[in-house]
Amino acid sequence: GGGPNRIGQGIEFDYCCCQASYALKDAGFETIMINCNPETVSTDYDTSDRLYFEPLKEEYVYNIIKKEKQKGNLVGVIAQFGGQTPIRLAKFLKDNKFPILGTQYTSIDLAEDRDRFRKLLNRLKLKQAESGIAKTFKQAIQIADKIGLPLMVRPSYVLGGRAMEIVYEKSQLKKFVEEAFKAAEKNPILIDKFIDNAMEIDVDAISDGKQVFVAGIMQHIEEAGVHSGDSACSLPPYSLPQNQIDDMISQTKALALGLNVVGLMNIQFAIKDEDIFILEVNPRASRTVPFVAKAINSPIAAIAARVMAGEPLTNFELKSPSPDHFAVKEAVMPFNRFPGVDAILGPEMRSTGEVMGLDKNFERAFFKSQLAASTPLPTCGTVFISVKAGDKGPLILEAAKILFALRFKIVATGGTSSWLTEGGVLNTHVKKVYEGQPNIVDSLKNNEIDLIFNTTDGNQSLTDSRYIRAAALSNKICYYTTAAASNAAAKAIREAENNELEVNALQNY
């Protein structure tokens, strides 16, 4: 199992563990679960043949396996379905000569060891952003100076992007490196060149060691830099050309075979212009598995479990990763439960759940996903737009024009207001918080705003806009903090206005 639920490690992994248990029972195996979480299905008395409600610590796992080996033949231990917690036990299992089902520790370590992984990518002729691995603070600063800003700083062997930060300014580096070393415990930290304004793609695949089946290709709506667990995503991709999709499928297959993956694997790609970069590879189940399974109507966790137990992929009916409908996953954020927490999204995961919208096109599916995530999109009213310099481009301009055509009133702060006017969008200027009153926060508190598009960068800008996000939360106003999501929201509103939304059963897709 995956241990206690927390942000970054939740029910998605429990789903995988349950699917594995059911599938292996059907195949004639006795299944034994080790997990200590009172709120999950994997710890129900009838999910597995036997349950050990114990912590996922080496001592407990060792004693349980030793005891079970006295009662019969141990076929193997599954460590890749519970997220990062059981994967961390893979080395311990190997050192104690306990058989691991599926992907072996050497492959898991290869994916985590930056130097070895870089050599594999070079051999396969695949691209990766410039990066380094640091075991000391001094090493980290030297690597950062060599690579140059912006940087992504993160600890290795953690889940949910814990202590992961994007460094835009030299003044942030020391603090972020120190935090990463704390979270990494005794493991090194990873420093990567951050690919700014890139599109992120998640791919889930199953390999039996000889064949590779790509189960799902998910295009993130938010840009790279927002944790994949917090980003909305679309299956199939809603705006990618077919040649890039085919290229990622080829790269996924090459990596799965190169890493000797048996079972599930997740790859995160970043696309910048025509270049496809590999951000990371996880030779285990990812949190997108339940979403993919429902979107393509295929029990991919159950199939992977039986593949790990020795069956070939040819034994199973495998569904296309490009169904004739769209599924949009949206993250559910807990910000209204934590007064004072800033609602800006970043590389550290903050969501506590997810929902899915299904429909015949992307815009309708996105509208449904927002409705399900308790942030229903308004179909009339006033939209406030304030975006950073880098986002004053086609995505926001198109969104503003769409909403203006739908008779939304548009209000904007200084620079954004002038830019929108130049772009031919009629708008009303509103003061920033520090420019005096009445300002945008006053408008929010007076319920004069129905929708917010607000993107920021840099410490000062983040501080200035924090009041806006806080007021939006307390007044339950729908808001977006990235240009791509703002554009998707505007198109979804237009679609909902022009065509009535319909309810349909999941089984009909």
Side-chain angles (χ1 to χ4, degrees), residues 23-40:
L24 293 171
K25 277 168 100 170
D26 289 345
F29 293 94
E30 182 182 39
T31 64
I32 299 154
M33 183 75 68
I34 308 175
N35 203 11
C36 57
N37 193 336
E39 299 170 343
T40 52

Side-chain angles (χ1 to χ4, degrees), residues 8-24:
Q9 173 113 13
I11 55 166
E12 300 94 338
F13 296 113
D14 199 66
Y15 165 92
C16 294
C17 293
C18 293
Q19 290 283 309
S21 186
Y22 299 147
L24 293 171

